Amino acid sequence: MLTIGQLAAYAGVTVRAVRHYHQIGLLPEPERDASGYRRYGATAVVSLIKIRTLANAGVPLSHIGQMLEADAPAFAEAVQRIDSHLRDEIERLETSRKQIAQLAAGDSLTLPPEVTSYLDRLREIGASERMLEGERDGWILIAARWPDSIPAVIASKHAQLDNPQLVRLYQVLSELLESDPGDDDPRPGEAADIMVGLLEQASASGELNFVGVAKDDLAFDLLDVLAVEFDPRSQRMLDLMRERGWTGWNRPERLARPDRPAPDRPAEPPG
């Protein structure tokens, strides 16, 4: 007869594991002998080895008891179910590994390759990392809502970057995000003038809306809110645009009665 320590050592498990199996009813707990110790026989050793083998194979402890009592056909069926579950789990873990590996790639974790390519081009024209951070978050919202429209939208965005005014807008906004402009800083006004100029031309050419994207109040509202949450100073830009006859950030609209005429500047759709 074996003590609990000898039983555990023979079966290749810990004493703690044996006690746990007792607690959940997986391994019968023998009565104590006259000395107050529990003694285990050969049957307990065999049962514990079976439990250990099934547990090491990935069988949940809640299923092991039924499998130990099952006949050969029922046991084989249970094994097939567990194997199918393990295959599904392996596929899930492989997917997780690929996603974790993408973490090192930064933008590509949450964005399609077309968008990451566009962000790289923004870096090339001088957009700051702070500016790119805001752009990235916005594109995450867009890609989640309109994944099928991303190729067309990005193609349009690349074409717009051929406009030096839009390039200048990204550069000015990047400078503003990296600084704390004072009341006499001309850059907010310059950025607002460029934006309104871009909107005027986009409105005249019918290119003001996202390419291939239907109206979606929730998505556009989230994009507008994101801009202010990302940097509260964005509200100042909205105020300057309103003074120039436009309202809104990602779905701008011309005001019926602007405070003053918008400047007459050649432009492209907003970036």
Side-chain angles (χ1 to χ4, degrees), residues 228-244:
V228 178
E229 288 182 347
F230 178 73
D231 194 310
R233 293 174 297 179
S234 299
Q235 185 61 50
R236 172 60 177 157
M237 295 303 303
L238 291 173
D239 295 339
L240 291 172
M241 288 177 61
R242 177 175 288 274
E243 292 175 5
R244 288 156 173 76

Side-chain angles (χ1 to χ4, degrees), residues 60-137:
L61 294 181
S62 59
H63 294 175
I64 289 178
Q66 296 176 347
M67 294 184 68
L68 291 176
E69 298 174 358
D71 57 19
F75 186 90
E77 182 180 350
V79 168
Q80 287 182 333
R81 287 198 303 269
I82 293 169
D83 182 63
S84 176
H85 172 75
L86 289 174
R87 284 200 302 270
D88 292 342
E89 184 67 9
I90 288 171
E91 291 179 4
R92 185 189 68 79
L93 291 173
E94 286 295 336
T95 300
S96 296
R97 288 190 65 220
K98 292 177 182 178
Q99 292 174 333
I100 290 297
Q102 286 180 314
L103 283 172
D107 298 340
S108 63
L109 176 65
T110 51
L111 293 171
E114 296 92 341
V115 176
T116 58
S117 175
Y118 178 70
L119 294 177
D120 287 339
R121 188 171 176 194
L122 291 183
R123 288 187 179 92
E124 294 172 0
I125 66 172
S128 68
E129 286 304 314
R130 175 69 174 163
M131 182 76 195
L132 289 169
E133 183 183 349
E135 281 274 332
R136 184 184 305 116
D137 289 349

Side-chain angles (χ1 to χ4, degrees), residues 18-240:
V18 174
R19 289 179 174 146
H20 180 62
Y21 297 152
H22 286 329
Q23 186 177 20
I24 63 176
L26 197 54
L27 182 69
E29 189 172 3
E31 297 293 334
R32 297 183 184 274
D33 62 14
S35 301
Y37 293 99
R38 301 189 186 281
R39 300 292 180 173
Y40 300 84
T43 301
V45 176
V46 171
S47 296
L48 185 56
I49 291 173
K50 289 180 179 180
I51 293 169
R52 181 207 65 194
T53 302
L54 291 171
N56 289 346
V59 179
L61 294 181
S62 59
H63 294 175
I64 289 178
Q66 296 176 347
M67 294 184 68
L68 291 176
E69 298 174 358
D71 57 19
F75 186 90
E77 182 180 350
V79 168
Q80 287 182 333
R81 287 198 303 269
I82 293 169
D83 182 63
S84 176
H85 172 75
L86 289 174
R87 284 200 302 270
D88 292 342
E89 184 67 9
I90 288 171
E91 291 179 4
R92 185 189 68 79
L93 291 173
E94 286 295 336
T95 300
S96 296
R97 288 190 65 220
K98 292 177 182 178
Q99 292 174 333
I100 290 297
Q102 286 180 314
L103 283 172
D107 298 340
S108 63
L109 176 65
T110 51
L111 293 171
E114 296 92 341
V115 176
T116 58
S117 175
Y118 178 70
L119 294 177
D120 287 339
R121 188 171 176 194
L122 291 183
R123 288 187 179 92
E124 294 172 0
I125 66 172
S128 68
E129 286 304 314
R130 175 69 174 163
M131 182 76 195
L132 289 169
E133 183 183 349
E135 281 274 332
R136 184 184 305 116
D137 289 349
W139 282 109
I140 289 173
L141 291 178
I142 294 170
R145 197 66 167 182
W146 303 297
D148 295 337
S149 299
I150 288 297
V153 174
I154 290 297
S156 175
K157 300 293 285 185
H158 275 291
Q160 291 169 19
L161 286 178
D162 292 334
N163 182 352
Q165 283 296 306
L166 183 57
V167 172
R168 176 57 185 163
L169 177 61
Y170 272 112
Q171 293 170 345
V172 173
L173 291 177
S174 293
E175 293 172 5
L176 291 173
L177 286 171
E178 298 294 339
S179 64
D180 187 12
D183 294 337
D184 58 346
D185 192 321
R187 290 175 298 180
E190 179 186 358
D193 286 343
I194 295 174
M195 290 174 66
V196 169
L198 295 173
L199 291 171
E200 292 289 343
Q201 181 170 340
S203 178
S205 62
E207 299 176 355
L208 195 55
N209 294 326
F210 284 117
V211 177
V213 175
K215 263 193 167 185
D216 188 319
D217 288 339
L218 175 61
F220 280 106
D221 288 345
L222 285 174
L223 287 168
D224 284 340
V225 171
L226 178 65
V228 178
E229 288 182 347
F230 178 73
D231 194 310
R233 293 174 297 179
S234 299
Q235 185 61 50
R236 172 60 177 157
M237 295 303 303
L238 291 173
D239 295 339
L240 291 172

